[in-house]
Amino acid sequence: MSKINSMMDIGRRSMMNSQTALQTVGHNIANKSTEGYSRQRVEIQANDPVGFGKLRIGTGSKTAKVTRINNPYLEKQIGNERNKLGFYQGKSDALVRVEQVYNEQINKGLNTTLSEFFNAFRDFAVSPESLAARTQVREAAIGLARDFKRVSHQLGEIQNDIDQQVKTHVYEINELTREIAQLNEKIRTLEIGGGVANDERDRRELLIKQLGDKINIRWAEGADGMVTITAGNTALLVTGFDAKELDAVATPARGPKGNANFDIIYKNSPSAAPVVVTHEITGGRIGGLLEVRDQTINELHDKLNQLAIRVAETVNNVHRQGFDAYDSEAGDFFEIDPASDHPAETLMVADVIVKDAGRIAAGARPFAPGDNTIANRISQLQFEQVMDGGTATFDEFYNSMVGQVGVITRRAASAHESQSDIVKQLNNIRESISGVSLDEEATKLIEFQKAFDASARLIRAADEMLDTVLNIKR
């Protein structure tokens, strides 16, 4: 009788094992398209046998645990490569906008307005007594100053937009770290009793990858199953059940960062003094955005300011040597504030010339109506090497700026494309290891379903044997 009961127990446990396996297969199928999900498998072990004299008779099987198919080293490699991808994506997206500022197919272009300004002086040299020619010079100069302002303003607008993107990413980082800390608590609670938090671990790994997309992080898992995450070198974002927040706030100019641009601030506790960690953020989307904001755009601002100041200085130096239409000594043609944060935005035509084009000098001598010496000399400034320590003309200097923007934009786009291919390749490898194959799951479904049916038949056979035994005395 005991052996018949043992057969029933074997059948019952086998049915439970098959049911657990079928439920796991269904869970895999349902999460086929879930990002970050790792395929799960039921580990079934032989149950402890029992002895009858010299015999050792098996007692069926038992479910040991449900595990996930996962390669932790591959997951960490994917996270590192995604961090690089985020950096190149942030950098490439920002540089595309910078390139549009210098795109002469969309904008008239500073190079064009600069040529129009000097061409206006050439036309003026042909007819130095013409009021219309003087007016044309004035309008061309006003257009040139306006275009300097446009380029400088648009670069500043891109920096402001980057600040807003950084602030949005920081908010998303805080959301991610809070959820990671909550998952730390769930995983610790589940596994302290010997269980395995498969789905919670998948979710946490996905969030860590998403966090790495936005900012450079270092993380490690402790013996208690909880992860500790540090952003940069010192900003401890997650430790145990606790999550610290970052903030993005406007601060005064510091190093390469412009005035009122955002710094990333970290506070270790509500009462702690805020620490600026912007210089530590060198990866992820935020790292790419900050590099463009604080290095690329600032360098372009500096070159634009150099060009504006040099144009004003050289034109003014020549113009002051001439005489206007009233035979008076001419003053400065342009006004500019070299001490300003952005001198290019302060460039303007002298107020007296704006009010009266007759104040523009054409000749180098008074009472010489046909004298065009000054107009000729100013028009020739376009071809003189007055930039970069006397090694480049205005056109060459500006064209080098445009070329620089084009080169770094193409490099960033190429790096982004290459890094994207690397991440895709690693994701394909992960999919081959941890991904769900519907064909494989369908095969497992049939296998465990047949095992369940066979287990049920075993119980029926044992029940019939028990009836036979009970009916022997009848």
Side-chain angles (χ1 to χ4, degrees):
M1 294 286 290
S2 62
K3 290 186 179 180
I4 295 176
N5 288 335
S6 178
M7 288 176 61
M8 288 188 172
D9 285 341
I10 291 173
R12 178 182 59 82
R13 283 195 295 269
S14 180
M15 289 181 69
M16 292 176 61
N17 292 341
S18 298
Q19 188 175 357
T20 301
L22 285 168
Q23 187 172 353
T24 303
V25 168
H27 185 55
N28 287 338
I29 294 173
N31 286 281
K32 170 69 172 70
S33 301
T34 301
E35 184 182 3
Y37 179 77
S38 298
R39 185 175 74 256
Q40 296 182 10
R41 281 287 174 263
V42 176
E43 291 190 6
I44 298 176
Q45 295 179 352
N47 209 11
D48 295 333
V50 294
F52 287 93
K54 294 182 180 180
L55 299 177
R56 295 281 289 173
I57 301 176
T59 58
S61 62
K62 61 182 178 180
T63 300
K65 58 183 177 179
V66 180
T67 60
R68 62 187 184 128
I69 310 302
N70 183 270
N71 185 334
Y73 301 104
L74 179 61
E75 298 291 344
K76 200 149 193 173
Q77 186 180 3
I78 291 174
N80 292 336
E81 297 301 329
R82 283 183 60 163
N83 177 260
K84 295 177 184 177
L85 177 62
F87 173 83
Y88 290 126
Q89 184 168 358
K91 183 176 180 178
S92 179
D93 290 347
L95 285 174
V96 166
R97 290 199 57 193
V98 173
E99 189 178 35
Q100 297 304 311
V101 176
Y102 295 91
N103 188 342
E104 300 204 2
Q105 293 179 344
I106 297 176
N107 304 301
K108 189 175 181 180
L110 186 57
N111 197 31
T112 301
T113 55
L114 196 60
S115 295
E116 288 177 351
F117 170 71
F118 288 114
N119 287 337
F121 263 104
R122 289 189 187 91
D123 293 339
F124 181 35
V126 174
S127 305
E129 299 177 8
S130 170
L131 178 60
R134 290 177 186 272
T135 303
Q136 182 182 357
V137 168
R138 181 184 63 186
E139 295 306 314
I142 292 174
L144 177 61
R146 186 188 303 117
D147 215 39
F148 268 110
K149 289 183 178 67
R150 174 191 65 80
V151 175
S152 182
H153 179 72
Q154 287 183 340
L155 291 175
E157 284 296 307
I158 294 173
Q159 288 182 312
N160 293 336
D161 182 65
I162 287 175
D163 282 338
Q164 295 306 315
Q165 291 185 55
V166 168
K167 192 173 185 67
T168 300
H169 286 310
V170 166
Y171 173 80
E172 292 170 352
I173 286 170
N174 293 335
E175 292 291 316
L176 290 170
T177 54
R178 276 194 291 269
E179 187 173 353
I180 291 172
Q182 292 169 2
L183 287 168
N184 269 349
E185 185 175 5
K186 286 183 181 179
I187 292 169
R188 177 62 175 161
T189 302
L190 288 169
E191 295 186 350
I192 198 170
V196 180
N198 291 322
D199 294 319
E200 289 78 5
R201 282 182 171 272
D202 281 343
R203 177 64 180 168
R204 186 176 68 181
E205 285 182 0
L206 176 62
L207 295 179
I208 291 174
K209 291 174 189 173
Q210 291 177 350
L211 186 62
D213 288 345
K214 299 180 181 301
I215 196 169
N216 52 302
I217 59 172
R218 292 180 291 115
W219 66 275
E221 181 177 339
D224 55 3
M226 296 189 291
V227 296
T228 301
I229 302 175
T230 303
N233 298 321
T234 58
L236 191 61
L237 298 182
V238 177
T239 173
F241 307 157
D242 189 26
K244 302 293 193 305
E245 291 191 352
L246 298 175
D247 197 8
V249 296
T251 56
R254 175 189 51 77
K257 189 191 77 67
N259 186 42
N261 286 137
F262 285 5
D263 261 322
I264 298 177
I265 306 297
Y266 170 74
K267 292 179 69 174
N268 191 39
S269 67
S271 59
V275 179
V276 176
V277 294
T278 310
H279 60 285
E280 298 180 11
I281 310 306
T282 57
R285 289 200 179 191
I286 293 181
L289 290 170
L290 290 178
E291 180 175 304
V292 174
R293 187 195 73 178
D294 295 339
Q295 296 182 28
T296 305
I297 295 181
N298 279 350
E299 184 177 345
L300 291 173
H301 262 309
D302 289 343
K303 289 189 175 182
L304 184 69
N305 293 333
Q306 291 176 35
L307 182 60
I309 291 172
R310 197 67 182 130
V311 167
E313 286 178 348
T314 54
V315 171
N316 286 345
N317 287 341
V318 177
H319 193 260
R320 284 195 298 266
Q321 299 173 24
F323 291 83
D324 59 26
Y326 307 106
D327 298 311
S328 300
E329 290 185 0
D332 286 340
F333 188 94
F334 286 114
E335 295 176 359
I336 193 169
D337 181 9
S340 169
D341 289 338
H342 300 296
E345 295 187 19
T346 68
L347 179 68
M348 63 181 67
V349 180
D351 189 55
V352 293
I353 294 177
V354 172
K355 293 178 180 178
D356 184 2
R359 294 296 181 180
I360 300 175
R365 295 169 299 160
F367 308 106
D371 189 0
N372 62 359
T373 305
I374 298 300
N376 271 325
R377 287 177 58 187
I378 291 178
S379 69
Q380 291 304 309
L381 289 175
Q382 182 180 10
F383 307 112
E384 293 183 10
Q385 294 182 326
V386 294
M387 298 298 301
D388 275 347
T391 61
T393 64
F394 293 130
D395 290 339
E396 291 169 347
F397 185 80
Y398 178 76
N399 289 335
S400 71
M401 291 172 57
V402 176
Q404 177 191 4
V405 172
V407 168
I408 62 177
T409 301
R410 284 194 297 273
R411 285 179 180 173
S414 177
H416 175 252
E417 184 178 354
S418 299
Q419 191 63 30
S420 179
D421 291 339
I422 292 173
V423 173
K424 286 178 182 177
Q425 184 179 12
L426 290 175
N427 283 332
N428 289 337
I429 296 173
R430 183 194 184 279
E431 186 67 19
S432 68
I433 297 172
S434 304
V436 176
S437 168
L438 293 180
D439 291 339
E440 183 181 348
E441 297 305 316
T443 303
K444 292 288 184 181
L445 185 66
I446 295 172
E447 176 187 341
F448 293 127
Q449 184 181 6
K450 288 183 175 180
F452 186 88
D453 293 341
S455 300
R457 283 197 294 271
L458 176 62
I459 293 175
R460 282 199 300 270
D463 183 59
E464 291 173 0
M465 291 170 63
L466 184 59
D467 284 343
T468 300
V469 171
L470 292 176
N471 290 327
I472 288 177
K473 295 181 179 180
R474 293 179 185 177

